[in-house]
């Protein structure tokens, strides 16, 4: 996440490395931190890519 604040106090947030709509969770967090609202939003190609979900249990042995 790259957050920039210009001399007029306008905040720009760029979310990278997050596929799918879960990037919106990060933008909501930015809104909470700055106590403001998104005025303009540009979706990147990552937004339209499928999220990769992992199974946290994959490291467990089948011998349990």
């Amino acid at each position: 996440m790259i957050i920039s604040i210009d001399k007029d106090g306008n905040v720009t947030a760029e979310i990278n490395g997050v596929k799918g709509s879960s990037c919106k969770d990060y933008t909501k967090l930015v809104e909470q931190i700055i106590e403001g609202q998104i005025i303009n939003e540009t979706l990147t190609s990552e937004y339209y890519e499928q999220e990769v979900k992992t199974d946290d249990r994959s490291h467990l042995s089948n011998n349990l």
Side-chain angles (χ1 to χ4, degrees):
M1 181 181 324
I2 300 170
I3 299 175
S4 304
I5 305 170
D6 69 16
K7 64 181 179 179
D8 296 324
N10 296 310
V11 177
T12 302
E14 183 178 332
I15 313 301
N16 294 311
V18 181
K19 297 180 189 296
S21 62
S22 61
C23 64
K24 298 271 189 172
D25 296 335
Y26 292 92
T27 56
K28 288 178 187 175
L29 178 61
V30 172
E31 284 182 321
Q32 291 175 355
I33 291 169
I34 66 168
E35 297 179 354
Q37 293 181 345
I38 295 174
I39 297 172
N40 186 9
E41 180 178 80
T42 303
L43 302 175
T44 66
S45 60
E46 283 184 308
Y47 177 83
Y48 299 100
E49 293 180 32
Q50 185 174 1
E51 293 179 56
V52 177
K53 299 195 181 211
T54 58
D55 185 352
D56 291 335
R57 296 173 288 158
S58 63
H59 66 281
L60 296 176
S61 170
N62 291 333
N63 297 330
L64 295 178

